[in-house]
Amino acid sequence: MSEALNPALSSSAADAADDQADEEKPVKQRKNGLYPGVSDELAENMKSGWADTELHGLLPIPQAEYTAARRAALSARFPGERLVVPAGNLKTRSNDTEYAFRASVEYAYLTGNLTEDGVLVLEPTTASDGKSGHKATIYLLPRSDRENGEFWLSGQGELWVGRRHSLAEAEQLYGIPASDVRELPDRLREATGPVRVVRGHDAGIEAALTDKVTAERDDELRVFLSEARLVKDEFEAGELQKAVDSTARGFEDVVRVLDKAEATSERYIEGTFFLRARVEGNDIGYGSICAAGPHACTLHWVRNDGPVRSGDLLLLDAGVETHTLYTADVTRTLPISGTYTELQKKIYDAVYDAQEAGIAAVRPGAKYRDFHDAAQRVLAERLVEWGLVEGPVERVLELGLQRRWTLHGTGHMLGMDVHDCAAARRETYVDGTLEPGMCLTVEPGLYFQADDLTVPEEYRGIGVRIEDDILVTEDGNRNLSAGLPRRSDEVEAWMASLKG
């Protein structure tokens, strides 16, 4: 990896730059840079001789009409208040390298822009008829400065990390007036009137508002934006389907290379799925769980460094994230040999039946909890039938005794976060009612830990989970991931077709 030069400008170039605004000051010297400085001649040479690359006639991004509607709903909820929604900043991974940037969900949801340091500001307005509203402005970093050499000297200059859109280009793409984000902190410090900010993404923006905001008011803003995402619009449903379709292809990729995974480790599975995610999407939506053998009993096994052995099960829980940041979340538990053993099939079929009951309970007007309760009842019945827990089933459910082996809830909302809408109020989420447009996972499981002495030895180390992404429709639901086989005999036939 090359090292940015970042030397100080020559004295005369620096003197000239000092007369410009703060954002045009010379780039600082890297401590151990190989060049001591930049000559006046080189500085002047680098300023000129570059073609005009401004893009004209850009079309709005596909979701522009939807982000406009989302901003309108936000405006209506908080009339007369200034609303500040940052994208966030780069985070250091080690020394001078950063993690790949992912814009805050709230910012991406309202703008469609995914670049670091951006901030959406809704300024309160009053129309001639007296109605309240807001003027939206997206604050972004403009093109790299060529006068002070930032474009080629800074580690974040365009010759190092790539071209940014100009502010004029951004306005065409996002349908929002754009301004220089470097001017925003001063504007916010001078602002008067009520202000709310989405916290936790941009410390500089929060510092500029430190005497103007309260945690309680800011939390109300975050909660509203989380609950606004409970019901997906048409664009979001389409993106979730794209994510699921790519994920299904990633699962197929994994099945085709199981022999190579057996020769190496779970990391081969992780890398195989990641390739599909990067080719067809932005990234993986969360750390892939590639859990072979007893690792399947660890709910969030993301180390993915264990052996892959024929005769064991592989629990693969993974999802592709689209370029617009919507993620799938799908799980299949596969026989590495291609065929379930009798006991594996018995446990798998119990989980399948539980999932079937859970999916059947997903419909508009149903309580959110209904699908969980339906799935848990089936699992409790099987555990009693197998003699692993003393019945009757009603007693087991009342005391939650099945949870020793079922462990987790049966699903969660899905969207731009894998566990979407997490800041929503309890009464609108887990104690709420399902509506068309909601998207959730249904993912029951049974996990018999390797050291669980309360179950027969042959059960120990077997973990099974089946997970699908379910969209609530006007007349029921649609399984977005129905293209991936679920029934045990269908899974075996599917695997054989891919390995053949």
Side-chain angles (χ1 to χ4, degrees):
M1 182 178 182
S2 301
E3 186 177 46
L5 301 176
N6 238 23
L9 300 175
S10 63
S11 59
S12 59
D15 290 341
D18 283 341
D19 295 332
Q20 301 178 28
D22 288 346
E23 63 267 20
E24 296 180 348
K25 285 182 179 179
V27 179
K28 291 182 180 180
Q29 169 100 27
R30 180 185 290 276
K31 182 176 180 181
N32 286 307
L34 293 175
Y35 291 97
V38 176
S39 67
D40 289 343
E41 290 78 6
L42 178 57
E44 286 301 315
N45 178 276
M46 291 299 289
K47 291 180 183 179
S48 61
W50 305 100
D52 179 9
T53 60
E54 184 74 7
L55 304 176
H56 303 280
L58 295 175
L59 296 175
I61 58 173
Q63 66 267 46
E65 64 178 290
Y66 297 96
T67 56
R70 298 166 194 167
R71 293 192 299 274
L74 176 61
S75 173
R77 172 61 179 82
F78 298 103
E81 302 186 50
R82 180 176 284 102
L83 309 173
V84 182
V85 185
N89 317 122
L90 291 171
K91 291 181 174 60
T92 299
R93 180 180 184 273
S94 177
N95 188 29
D96 59 353
T97 60
E98 292 85 21
Y99 288 104
F101 179 74
R102 189 185 191 277
S104 74
V105 166
E106 296 87 356
Y107 176 85
Y109 177 75
L110 293 168
T111 68
N113 176 260
L114 305 178
T115 57
E116 66 269 17
D117 301 325
V119 184
L120 173 69
V121 178
L122 271 62
E123 299 277 353
T125 61
T126 303
S128 57
D129 59 3
K131 291 185 178 179
S132 298
H134 286 85
K135 176 189 175 184
T137 304
I138 188 170
Y139 289 85
L140 302 166
L141 285 172
R143 295 286 307 280
S144 287
D145 195 309
R146 297 196 180 231
E147 284 299 308
N148 74 349
E150 181 255 341
F151 81 106
W152 71 287
L153 295 174
S154 168
Q156 293 302 319
E158 290 186 3
L159 294 193
W160 288 95
V161 298
R163 182 188 187 278
R164 294 193 288 263
H165 282 298
S166 71
L167 298 181
E169 292 168 354
E171 291 185 355
Q172 298 173 65
L173 290 169
Y174 306 111
I176 315 171
S179 292
D180 191 334
V181 72
R182 294 171 296 187
E183 302 168 358
L184 182 58
D186 286 341
R187 294 187 185 182
L188 293 178
R189 277 188 283 268
E190 296 169 2
T192 58
V195 183
R196 298 178 192 256
V197 64
V198 177
R199 299 190 183 205
H201 302 300
D202 193 319
I205 293 300
E206 290 180 36
L209 294 169
T210 187
D211 60 341
K212 306 177 190 299
V213 295
T214 67
E216 181 180 0
R217 289 165 52 79
D218 293 346
D219 190 56
E220 288 177 354
L221 172 60
R222 183 166 178 258
V223 167
F224 173 81
L225 289 172
S226 193
E227 293 183 358
R229 302 199 312 276
L230 283 169
V231 175
K232 271 58 181 177
D233 57 38
E234 183 182 16
F235 175 83
E236 293 179 290
E239 290 300 293
L240 285 166
Q241 185 66 69
K242 288 180 187 176
V244 168
D245 292 344
S246 290
T247 298
R249 289 187 283 273
F251 276 60
E252 292 175 354
D253 296 339
V254 167
V255 171
R256 290 189 178 100
V257 300
L258 278 178
D259 58 334
K260 294 183 174 63
E262 288 188 60
T264 52
S265 75
E266 295 163 340
R267 290 188 177 185
Y268 203 97
I269 296 167
E270 178 184 355
T272 298
F273 186 84
F274 180 70
L275 177 61
R276 176 66 66 173
R278 287 293 283 160
V279 167
E280 295 193 1
N282 174 62
D283 207 330
I284 50 175
Y286 54 96
S288 299
I289 299 168
C290 308
H295 288 163
C297 298
T298 301
L299 299 183
H300 287 172
W301 176 260
V302 293
R303 298 181 202 172
N304 298 335
D305 58 0
V308 179
R309 299 188 179 98
S310 182
D312 284 345
L313 297 175
L314 167 67
L315 190 157
L316 178 59
D317 183 338
V320 172
E321 178 185 80
T322 67
H323 295 291
T324 55
L325 306 189
Y326 289 86
T327 185
D329 183 7
V330 177
T331 306
R332 291 293 183 269
T333 304
L334 311 173
I336 294 169
S337 68
T339 304
Y340 296 101
T341 67
E342 184 177 348
L343 179 59
Q344 289 170 349
K345 184 178 185 302
K346 181 176 83 166
I347 296 170
Y348 183 95
D349 288 349
V351 175
Y352 172 81
D353 290 344
Q355 194 200 27
E356 282 282 276
I359 293 174
V362 175
R363 58 183 179 275
K367 293 297 184 182
Y368 176 82
R369 292 178 176 273
D370 288 353
F371 75 94
H372 169 71
D373 293 342
Q376 288 291 298
R377 175 171 291 277
V378 172
L379 295 177
E381 289 171 350
R382 298 303 170 84
L383 291 167
V384 170
E385 177 186 325
W386 299 339
L388 301 183
V389 63
E390 182 181 350
V393 170
E394 293 300 336
R395 167 185 171 273
V396 173
L397 291 170
E398 181 181 355
L399 299 176
L401 301 180
Q402 83 284 358
R403 293 179 60 187
R404 181 182 179 101
W405 303 284
T406 66
L407 294 177
H408 54 79
T410 308
H412 52 80
M413 292 296 180
L414 184 67
M416 297 182 88
D417 282 327
V418 65
H419 297 145
D420 208 29
C421 312
R425 292 167 297 169
R426 189 175 187 86
E427 58 265 32
T428 62
Y429 189 159
V430 71
D431 291 335
T433 301
L434 296 179
E435 301 177 38
M438 289 182 170
C439 188
L440 52 92
T441 67
V442 179
E443 50 175 315
L446 281 174
Y447 312 91
F448 300 102
Q449 306 299 324
D451 59 351
D452 188 349
L453 301 181
T454 70
V455 300
E457 185 175 359
E458 61 267 26
Y459 283 73
R460 299 172 197 167
I462 296 178
V464 174
R465 180 163 66 253
I466 312 172
E467 178 181 20
D468 285 85
D469 301 342
I470 310 299
L471 180 70
V472 183
T473 61
E474 293 288 345
D475 57 356
N477 70 65
R478 176 159 60 94
N479 185 349
L480 301 180
S481 43
L484 271 178
R486 289 186 297 126
R487 211 174 62 202
S488 56
D489 59 335
E490 293 175 343
V491 170
E492 291 175 338
W494 170 70
M495 292 182 69
S497 70
L498 292 172
K499 289 182 173 183

